[in-house]
Amino acid sequence: MVDGILGVKHGGKTVVSWSLNTPFIIEREERGTAPLEARLRAIRKVAEAGYLLGFHFDPMIYYPGWREDYTCLVREVFKGIPPDRVAWISVGSLRFNPEMKRLIESNYPDTGITAEEMIAGDDGKMRYVKPLRLEMYRHMYKQIREAVGGDPLVYLCMERWDMWQRVLGFVPDSIGHLDYMFARSLWERFGLGSGKPDRTLYERAWEDEDVEGGPARSRG
């Protein structure tokens, strides 16, 4: 799966990312994709080759037993993986355009992902109700912090500013500020970049953008 890039001279400047989910969801809803154990083996190989890592726990999907399964997932991912090689981590929940519900149920009649109550967000996509998303994100963020043993760069994918504040305890001022946070983290932790990032340059690049719906819309 990743053997072709293991010998590449990347200079520690390349981030290889994975979408990760529980074995239950992979087997039931991600049919035809690599099982979790295969993804974990690939992650370990890439880490040993000196690459930086990105993890995307997205989409989180609600089902009976989700809490225990996602807890085990985080522990398995970071077992034997040096946390200081992780560039960033994203967390997001199931979302789709309203018209996709009929297609999902038609093409995959045995799926269970459309059964939970969902509402339309500001962007028109269907999502779990806010209290459930909040519970899932808070649980996942707690598990990640405990597994990493520090304060990793974690962001919410396609979520409003108020969810960021309630889960992560902070809100980027703008999309430019969010991009600056990524650049600053890469500079401070890995020495990547031509110099210390200038926040004003990142914010100026986005100053004409409408970010009312939340800074995280630029990611995910």
Side-chain angles (χ1 to χ4, degrees):
M1 182 187 302
V2 296
D3 291 348
I5 66 171
L6 298 181
V8 174
K9 295 181 179 180
H10 53 80
K13 298 180 179 180
T14 302
V15 180
V16 183
S17 297
W18 276 266
S19 173
L20 298 164
N21 225 309
T22 67
F24 177 85
I25 292 299
I26 293 173
E27 180 178 348
R28 182 178 175 86
E29 306 293 351
E30 297 183 356
R31 285 166 286 185
T33 66
L36 178 61
E37 187 52 45
R39 301 183 203 192
L40 296 179
R41 287 196 299 269
I43 290 171
R44 296 184 185 109
K45 285 184 178 181
V46 165
E48 291 172 358
Y51 284 94
L52 299 179
L53 307 172
F55 297 142
H56 303 285
F57 297 100
D58 186 12
M60 291 186 70
I61 296 178
Y62 176 84
Y63 60 92
W66 70 268
R67 185 184 299 273
E68 294 78 10
D69 285 0
Y70 279 104
T71 297
C72 291
L73 172 62
V74 173
R75 292 174 180 172
E76 284 298 313
V77 168
F78 287 99
K79 184 187 300 182
I81 300 297
D84 60 359
R85 302 307 299 165
V86 180
W88 52 66
I89 301 169
S90 73
V91 179
S93 61
L94 179 66
R95 57 200 177 273
F96 50 80
N97 293 326
E99 60 270 19
M100 289 299 297
K101 184 176 188 294
R102 180 180 58 81
L103 293 176
I104 292 171
E105 294 174 343
S106 174
N107 293 334
Y108 305 96
D110 60 340
T111 185
I113 65 174
T114 60
E116 193 63 28
E117 179 183 3
M118 306 186 86
I119 58 173
D122 291 346
D123 58 0
K125 292 183 179 180
M126 305 302 295
R127 289 177 170 81
Y128 297 133
V129 295
K130 185 174 290 186
L132 178 57
R133 300 200 324 271
L134 182 61
E135 179 184 2
M136 296 176 76
Y137 293 154
R138 281 177 169 170
H139 177 75
M140 200 63 166
Y141 186 46
K142 180 176 183 292
Q143 300 307 312
I144 291 171
R145 286 177 60 93
E146 290 179 355
V148 173
D151 193 16
L153 178 56
V154 178
Y155 65 96
L156 297 183
C157 195
M158 304 296 285
E159 280 291 353
R160 285 175 50 88
W161 61 265
D162 54 335
M163 189 66 76
W164 278 63
Q165 183 65 57
R166 297 175 70 178
V167 175
L168 305 179
F170 75 94
V171 180
D173 298 330
S174 64
I175 295 178
H177 184 200
L178 179 60
D179 282 348
Y180 164 74
M181 288 171 55
F182 276 78
R184 184 185 65 187
S185 178
L186 292 173
W187 166 257
E188 292 179 348
R189 298 175 61 211
F190 308 110
L192 298 182
S194 58
K196 185 176 180 179
D198 184 345
R199 175 175 171 176
T200 59
L201 295 179
Y202 287 88
E203 293 187 330
R204 190 176 302 150
W206 288 95
E207 62 186 4
D208 295 328
E209 293 293 323
D210 178 11
V211 295
E212 181 180 353
R217 288 192 174 182
S218 66
R219 299 284 175 185

